[in-house]
């Protein structure tokens, strides 16, 4: 009897990847203070701000079963400075607001880093600042990407770090 119970318990906690069965690269996850989890992801490398939403938002209570709840930027709702290649979002709860940091390409093809702000609901409406938070440097080919928010637990000081290339040092990568 005991081996049967043990097998049943093991089967109850197993799952098969992928847990989200659509193209969902660069996921960023947040444990919600109200319970459950939110995930934001790259939108299959969105390339058209008029025809494609950017950054799907998913909800799960168990980290296995996910429901699409919306997008950070709906159709025709992208930031005015970003025209393609919306990549690598991260979602955080900071100071009573939901922040989604992301990178996007300007008309010249260079990436910049932006932040979308939501006030009451991680799946609700977000607003972009209206301009990049970190604009690409002129000594960069691609621009800043792969941003990450970090709160220093010792000091309580927030940081945003990112990667950028440097044409003055080919092959180099600055953080």
């Amino acid at each position: 009897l005991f081996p049967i119970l043990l097998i049943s318990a093991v089967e109850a906690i197993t799952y098969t990847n992928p847990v989200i069965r659509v193209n969902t690269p660069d996921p960023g996850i947040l444990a919600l203070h109200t319970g459950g989890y939110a995930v934001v992801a790259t939108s299959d490398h969105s390339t058209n701000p008029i025809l494609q939403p950017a950054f799907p938002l998913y909800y799960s209570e168990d980290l296995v079963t996910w429901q699409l709840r919306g997008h950070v930027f709906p159709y025709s709702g992208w930031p005015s400075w970003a025209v393609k290649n919306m990549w690598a979002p991260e979602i955080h709860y900071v100071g009573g607001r939901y922040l989604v940091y992301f990178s996007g390409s300007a008309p010249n093809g260079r990436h910049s880093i932006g932040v979308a702000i939501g006030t009451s609901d991680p799946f609700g409406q977000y607003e972009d600042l209206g301009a990049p938070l970190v604009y690409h440097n002129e000594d960069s080919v691609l621009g800043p990407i792969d941003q990450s928010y970090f709160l220093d637990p010792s000091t309580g000081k927030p940081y945003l770090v990112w990667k950028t290339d440097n044409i003055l040092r080919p092959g180099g990568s600055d953080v």
Side-chain angles (χ1 to χ4, degrees), residues 82-103:
V83 298
K84 62 182 178 178
N85 299 329
M86 301 284 273
W87 293 347
E90 284 193 355
I91 186 169
H92 300 277
Y93 187 70
V94 180
R97 304 180 301 176
Y98 293 95
L99 304 177
V100 175
Y101 293 99
F102 62 94
S103 65

Side-chain angles (χ1 to χ4, degrees), residues 81 101-102 112-115 128-129 131-135 160 162:
W81 58 267
Y101 293 99
F102 62 94
S112 291
I113 294 172
V115 62
D128 177 66
L129 286 179
L133 186 62
V134 180
Y135 192 70
L160 186 66
W162 60 87

Side-chain angles (χ1 to χ4, degrees), residues 9-156:
V10 170
E11 288 178 29
I13 61 170
T14 61
Y15 60 91
T16 302
N17 277 323
V19 293
I20 299 176
R21 298 198 180 278
V22 296
N23 192 10
T24 313
D26 306 321
I29 190 164
L30 175 67
L32 301 172
H33 64 277
T34 56
Y37 304 90
V39 160
V40 63
T42 295
S43 313
D44 198 17
H45 301 286
S46 291
T47 58
N48 188 323
I50 296 170
L51 300 176
Q52 297 172 312
F55 306 136
L57 292 160
Y58 295 91
Y59 173 77
S60 177
E61 292 181 5
D62 60 8
L63 296 172
V64 176
T65 306
W66 294 90
Q67 294 177 318
L68 178 64
R69 289 276 182 96
H71 290 81
V72 174
F73 299 117
Y75 298 94
S76 301
W78 287 23
S80 60
W81 58 267
V83 298
K84 62 182 178 178
N85 299 329
M86 301 284 273
W87 293 347
E90 284 193 355
I91 186 169
H92 300 277
Y93 187 70
V94 180
R97 304 180 301 176
Y98 293 95
L99 304 177
V100 175
Y101 293 99
F102 62 94
S103 65
S105 286
N108 66 4
R110 292 186 184 170
H111 270 70
S112 291
I113 294 172
V115 62
I117 302 167
T119 56
S120 62
D121 180 355
F123 309 103
Q125 201 167 15
Y126 282 84
E127 281 192 44
D128 177 66
L129 286 179
L133 186 62
V134 180
Y135 192 70
H136 66 269
N137 296 331
E138 293 305 318
D139 63 352
S140 170
V141 175
L142 180 63
I145 60 171
D146 298 335
Q147 66 292 328
S148 184
Y149 171 84
F150 173 72
L151 182 63
D152 186 329
S154 299
T155 65

